[in-house]
Amino acid sequence: MSDRQVAIKVLPQEVAQDLERPLVASQTHREFNADISPDGRWLAYQSDEAGRDEAYVRPFPDVDSSKWASSTDGGREPVWSRGGSSELYYRGDSHVMAVSIATTPGFEAGPPE
């Protein structure tokens, strides 16, 4: 990361014990640029676990139950459409990509466009 970039860990508040713990954290990869969907059910974030930065989606708050790659050829800074969780946007190498997301009956990401 450059001096101007900051890694972000998403930390839920453990109310009963008043402790913070990493929500998505790896010892070997970076996870950052997280965004919660407007309906609060999905977490999009950027990770370098595939050997380059890609955009991923996990259910929220149960992030350990599943994970999907939403980009296919590099993806950075994922953000949800503010009108709902039906579209996810991310930066590709030189342009912004959009992915249509279906969440019923299960999670399904369309091809990046």
Side-chain angles (χ1 to χ4, degrees):
M1 286 190 293
S2 74
D3 292 339
R4 299 184 72 181
Q5 292 176 319
V6 177
I8 298 171
K9 297 293 184 190
V10 178
L11 302 170
Q13 183 66 36
E14 296 284 3
V15 178
Q17 299 175 357
D18 200 32
L19 300 173
E20 291 183 348
R21 65 173 175 79
L23 184 60
V24 176
S26 168
Q27 299 298 320
T28 56
H29 305 292
R30 299 176 307 143
E31 290 91 10
F32 54 108
N33 288 331
D35 192 36
I36 303 289
S37 65
D39 66 4
R41 295 179 51 218
W42 307 99
L43 171 70
Y45 65 98
Q46 177 179 337
S47 175
D48 65 354
E49 69 182 74
R52 66 176 173 209
D53 288 332
E54 296 285 357
Y56 292 89
V57 175
R58 293 181 185 231
F60 183 80
D62 187 17
V63 297
D64 293 328
S65 65
S66 298
K67 174 177 66 175
W68 302 273
S70 60
S71 60
T72 58
D73 193 22
R76 298 178 307 280
E77 301 173 14
V79 293
W80 293 99
S81 165
R82 293 300 164 214
S85 62
S86 61
E87 273 196 320
L88 179 68
Y89 299 96
Y90 64 88
R91 284 183 27 186
D93 286 333
S94 61
H95 48 279
V96 174
M97 303 295 289
V99 176
S100 294
I101 305 289
T103 59
T104 304
F107 183 90
E108 186 175 335
E113 299 178 4

